Amino acid sequence: MLSRASDLASLVFAGNAGKAWGALSYRVHSDSISVGLRRDLSVRFTSPSASLPLTVRPLAATDDLSSLHPEPGITSDEAFFRLTQRRLLRSGLHTCYVAIAPDGKLCYMQWVIPASENERLRGFFGNLYPLIGRDEALLEGAYTPTAFRGKGIMGAAMAQVAERAAEFGARWVITFVDQQNAASIKGCLRAGFTPYLRRHEKFRLFYRQVKFDPLMPPAAVQLPSEKT
Ligand SMILES: CC(C)(COP(=O)(O)OP(=O)(O)OC[C@H]1O[C@@H](n2cnc3c(N)ncnc32)[C@H](O)[C@@H]1OP(=O)(O)O)[C@@H](O)C(=O)NCCC(=O)NCCS
């Protein structure tokens, strides 16, 4: 809570008061829908390639995270994304994987969260996610630094990050994306994920209610830009 409040204060001080107000209003009154997607690791899948070769590995203490700095000139949405990534880095959730470009720069990051981290996950996100089953792992915090966007990195890197979940005993890898986030949904589909759940999140005066509806059978999602 304190961490979120300090993020809101940083947004205001950096001139993004509108975004801070939006984030606050979201918790006062909002209704939103996310798509739950999953991939069955027991089914063979050929990872797509990005337009540059990638090396996927766990985040190292020496990795340069300067692409997460809220530098002047970025949009308020981007400032918000970077603050979220920095908060996740402080959450204590293991394990963050990164993709490294040929020039040594970090070009993607995402957490693999197994069932053993359910308590920490609840502590950080409240009731936003279902309890992770013993044969499941959650992927959270997908982020491609702005300089690397639009190169097909998400699909390629996420496909490889998902496979790391097998090291935690997971067969099913799950993830959730706001249904308005077309770029992220496309990345998930390219990484071999299929929509299987719809999550309804409702905030009234800072009280959050979350409901999950299975998609039976697993359905195709309509991307926001493709709506008629
Ligand atoms: C979502 C995100 C991880 C996608 O990463 P990516 O590596 O750029 O993914 P892709 O290269 O596959 O591009 C996906 C889509 O992004 C859009 N895109 C393309 N170039 C872009 C650019 N320069 N900047 C922003 N978006 C771009 C396009 O719609 C593209 O789809 P297309 O390939 O069919 O044209 C990235 O946009 C990001 O970090 N966004 C902020 C954080 C976020 O939303 N995380 C997901 C939370 S669930």
Side-chain angles (χ1 to χ4, degrees):
M1 187 66 115
L2 274 176
S3 179
R4 275 178 208 282
S6 113
D7 280 0
L8 288 185
S10 343
L11 279 173
V12 173
F13 285 125
N16 295 311
K19 185 71 192 175
W21 177 247
L24 205 58
S25 318
Y26 182 79
R27 285 173 178 261
V28 173
H29 188 110
S30 66
D31 294 274
S32 54
I33 296 180
S34 297
V35 188
L37 303 103
R38 72 179 172 189
R39 181 174 147 194
D40 180 352
L41 292 180
S42 71
V43 176
R44 185 184 283 272
F45 176 74
T46 307
S47 299
S49 302
S51 64
L52 64 169
L54 306 173
T55 305
V56 171
R57 59 157 174 77
L59 176 70
T62 48
D63 283 329
D64 176 12
L65 295 171
S66 54
S67 53
L68 298 181
H69 288 166
E71 69 219 10
I74 58 173
T75 64
S76 55
D77 281 343
E78 184 56 33
F80 189 72
F81 286 134
R82 293 185 190 188
L83 285 169
T84 304
Q85 295 306 111
R86 289 153 67 103
R87 206 168 56 242
L88 268 169
L89 283 165
R90 294 193 302 270
S91 69
L93 284 163
H94 314 92
T95 303
C96 179
Y97 288 88
V98 292
I100 304 294
D103 63 2
K105 290 201 172 128
L106 185 154
C107 62
Y108 186 74
M109 63 196 298
Q110 190 165 39
W111 278 256
V112 174
I113 304 169
S116 58
E117 294 214 78
N118 266 323
E119 207 174 309
R120 206 183 287 267
L121 184 70
R122 284 271 144 150
F124 189 76
F125 286 105
N127 59 350
L128 193 57
Y129 296 103
L131 271 186
I132 310 300
R134 285 158 72 98
D135 60 349
E136 290 178 335
L138 171 72
L139 295 196
E140 173 53 40
Y143 181 80
T144 302
T146 43
F148 287 99
R149 292 202 185 143
K151 299 179 192 301
I153 290 178
M154 181 177 177
M158 182 177 183
Q160 292 187 50
V161 171
E163 277 156 25
R164 298 300 186 103
E167 293 164 19
F168 301 97
R171 169 180 172 186
W172 298 97
V173 190
I174 65 173
T175 194
F176 289 83
V177 183
D178 188 292
Q179 70 169 5
Q180 299 301 324
N181 193 340
S184 183
I185 292 176
K186 281 182 190 175
C188 295
L189 297 175
R190 288 172 185 157
F193 284 70
T194 308
Y196 77 111
L197 216 53
R198 185 167 282 127
R199 179 178 71 193
H200 303 262
E201 185 188 7
K202 172 170 154 179
F203 266 110
R204 297 290 183 270
L205 291 177
F206 299 95
Y207 177 72
R208 176 161 65 193
Q209 274 181 284
V210 178
K211 197 165 70 83
F212 298 96
D213 285 334
L215 294 172
M216 296 296 272
V221 278
Q222 192 183 27
L223 297 171
S225 55
E226 293 172 352
K227 278 183 181 162
T228 48

